[in-house]
Amino acid sequence: MTSSTASGANLKNYILVTLAYWGFTITDGALRMLVLLYFNSIGYTPLQIAFLFLFYEIFGVITNFLGGWIGSQLGLKVTLYTGIGLQVFSLVMLSWLNPDWAQWMAVGYVMVAQAFSGIAKDLTKMSSKSAIRLVVPQEAQSSLFKWVAVLTGSKNALKGVGFFVGSVLLSSFGFTSSLLIMAGGLFLIMFTGLMLPRGMGKIKAKVKFSQLFSKSKEINILSAARFFLFGSRDVWFVVGLPVFLRGNLGWSFYQVGGFLACWVIGYGVIQFLAPTLIQRFGSGQPPKSQTIQFWTFTLTAVPAAIALALQLGVPGNIAIITGLLVFGVVFAFNSAVHSYLVLAFTDDDKVALNVGFYYMANSGGRLAGTVLSGLVFQYFNLVGCLWTSMLLVLAAGLVTMKLPDPQPSQAIAWKSEGGD
């Protein structure tokens, strides 16, 4: 196979993987908004709604832990489209929800359906991000950092779009029909898998289950930092922020949902632009350990500043909106550099294992943040959530102090010229 043929095949595979991930992501955001809006409309409290997503996060942790091992044995194509298939199943399952059921039965049923959705989400995410490492070869002229940021940034933007899609579908077609429409669209996307190569990401040697616990020092450090980083976001995003906007500031549910959707889209755009901005205003070299340390310690100040502003009597609308804008920008840079470094420290034959382990830590942080968000907000309101967020970011920064720089051979696919 000539280099031009190989490049064309890699580009085709990248496009197919990205389209599959985009389709899934829209339904993931739309499903979250559908559940939030529907259960709010029938009288569930925000804390009760948060518990509906508990299994979503718990099974995300389990999936990321096992998903990398499964992907290394069966191939990333299998795990990618299994994830999409499980999301279709979850959507259809939710469409069978009976509004006449007792509350405990409805909650249990939705939690089980959300468990399947959590498995689907993390299988799809792990597979997509691992696949990018394989279709952007060492000698590629384009930047791995750039392509990872394109996938991740577009994912976050499209998840925000999904919030709007969910709201529109619910108001236009109702809860059950909306779920079936999304299931049908996602089912059609599964046919893109026919054009991907077999065995993508599958390794020749069998990997013992015990090897799931054996990671490099760099992967372990990044995973620990990722745990604290995403815990710091969700400790005030999942329950504290929506409840504060509704209860303390008097925003309507649609204002809350629309605002958070716009924030997620903006966050995705910044993450998409992160490689260009870091390249233009930095040294032009691939991110190093100092890069992630700078952005993590910078982020530490943001939730602390918002908490102080609220305690000093700054109007809540001003403090929250301004603080969220700054938090989103700095957090996006953190996430983009993290996503690059985990791939830079990973060998081709271990990509599924390492990325799965790394995103298990991501899901663990989200789970911890979800539980802490409800618990801390109940006793200490949003200010308590923000101070907890600051402590978690600080922990992430201290962990990264032990991170070495990638070796020159690991800092792959980075183009220092130009800004594209």
Side-chain angles (χ1 to χ4, degrees):
M1 182 181 291
T2 66
S3 60
S4 60
T5 303
S7 297
N10 284 332
L11 179 60
K12 182 200 74 172
N13 293 339
Y14 176 86
I15 292 172
L16 290 173
V17 169
T18 302
L19 286 176
Y21 193 38
W22 282 357
F24 178 91
T25 299
I26 291 175
T27 66
D28 189 48
L31 178 58
R32 178 167 289 257
M33 189 55 60
L34 276 171
V35 171
L36 283 168
L37 286 172
Y38 177 74
F39 282 92
N40 176 78
S41 68
I42 61 175
Y44 282 56
T45 67
L47 282 174
Q48 289 173 324
I49 292 172
F51 276 107
L52 295 175
F53 297 100
L54 193 60
F55 276 11
Y56 178 90
E57 303 295 351
I58 290 174
F59 281 87
V61 175
I62 298 171
T63 302
N64 275 310
F65 182 63
L66 297 175
W69 178 70
I70 296 170
S72 69
Q73 303 301 294
L74 301 179
L76 296 173
K77 178 178 175 179
V78 173
T79 52
L80 174 61
Y81 289 94
T82 297
I84 295 176
L86 282 174
Q87 181 77 338
V88 173
F89 176 79
S90 175
L91 291 166
V92 173
M93 181 178 173
L94 277 172
S95 72
W96 295 337
L97 180 69
N98 189 330
D100 295 328
W101 287 348
Q103 187 179 82
W104 66 267
M105 186 175 179
V107 168
Y109 186 84
V110 173
M111 289 178 71
V112 172
Q114 288 289 83
F116 285 112
S117 183
I119 295 170
K121 186 261 294 182
D122 283 296
L123 272 181
T124 306
K125 180 172 69 174
M126 179 279 298
S127 304
S128 301
K129 293 195 176 183
S130 298
I132 299 307
R133 177 63 177 81
L134 300 177
V135 301
V136 182
Q138 296 277 352
E139 67 274 12
Q141 292 299 305
S142 58
S143 165
L144 173 66
F145 185 29
K146 181 175 113 178
W147 290 117
V148 171
V150 168
L151 183 72
T152 307
S154 62
K155 182 266 293 186
N156 286 297
L158 286 172
K159 190 167 185 176
V161 171
F163 289 169
F164 290 119
V165 170
S167 300
V168 171
L169 285 175
L170 184 62
S171 61
S172 302
F173 301 101
F175 184 70
T176 301
S177 296
S178 297
L179 292 166
L180 293 175
I181 289 170
M182 291 195 295
L186 204 54
F187 179 77
L188 294 177
I189 288 176
M190 292 184 68
F191 287 99
T192 59
L194 298 174
M195 294 179 279
L196 283 173
R198 294 181 179 179
M200 185 170 61
K202 183 178 180 180
I203 62 177
K204 297 177 182 178
K206 294 296 181 182
V207 179
K208 296 180 180 179
F209 186 79
S210 60
Q211 290 180 255
L212 292 175
F213 300 92
S214 178
K215 303 297 171 185
S216 68
K217 173 186 175 182
E218 296 86 355
I219 296 298
N220 286 333
I221 291 173
L222 281 170
S223 297
R226 189 81 172 187
F227 174 89
F228 290 117
L229 183 67
F230 274 77
S232 75
R233 183 195 66 179
D234 286 5
V235 75
W236 64 293
F237 265 64
V238 173
V239 174
L241 181 61
V243 173
F244 181 84
L245 293 176
R246 291 197 67 199
N248 294 65
L249 301 186
W251 290 21
S252 70
F253 190 87
Y254 294 98
Q255 287 174 318
V256 174
F259 174 70
L260 293 180
C262 290
W263 185 89
V264 171
I265 293 171
Y267 166 78
V269 171
I270 296 298
Q271 196 168 38
F272 173 81
L273 296 174
T276 300
L277 296 174
I278 290 177
Q279 181 181 0
R280 181 167 297 174
F281 298 106
S283 64
Q285 299 301 312
K288 300 180 179 179
S289 60
Q290 294 91 336
T291 312
I292 195 61
Q293 290 160 14
F294 170 79
W295 288 109
T296 305
F297 284 116
T298 300
L299 183 64
T300 304
V302 182
I306 302 172
L308 282 173
L310 291 173
Q311 289 178 305
L312 292 173
V314 175
N317 286 324
I318 295 175
I320 292 298
I321 293 175
T322 304
L324 266 178
L325 292 176
V326 178
F327 187 90
V329 170
V330 182
F331 194 92
F333 277 102
N334 269 281
S335 185
V337 175
H338 262 269
S339 295
Y340 167 77
L341 287 175
V342 71
L343 297 182
F345 283 121
T346 296
D347 298 326
D348 283 354
D349 62 348
K350 296 180 180 177
V351 62
L353 288 171
N354 284 344
V355 171
F357 182 83
Y358 173 72
Y359 282 106
M360 179 194 71
N362 184 100
S363 296
R366 292 181 54 182
L367 173 60
T370 298
V371 175
L372 285 172
S373 187
L375 183 64
V376 175
F377 185 84
Q378 183 171 337
Y379 292 101
F380 303 104
N381 213 301
L382 186 64
V383 169
C385 293
L386 289 163
W387 284 118
T388 305
S389 175
M390 185 274 292
L391 292 174
L392 290 171
V393 181
L394 180 61
L398 293 175
V399 168
T400 60
M401 296 293 290
K402 298 181 178 293
L403 187 69
D405 288 331
Q407 297 302 310
S409 61
Q410 294 174 312
I412 60 175
W414 173 267
K415 186 168 70 173
S416 60
E417 308 88 14
D420 54 359

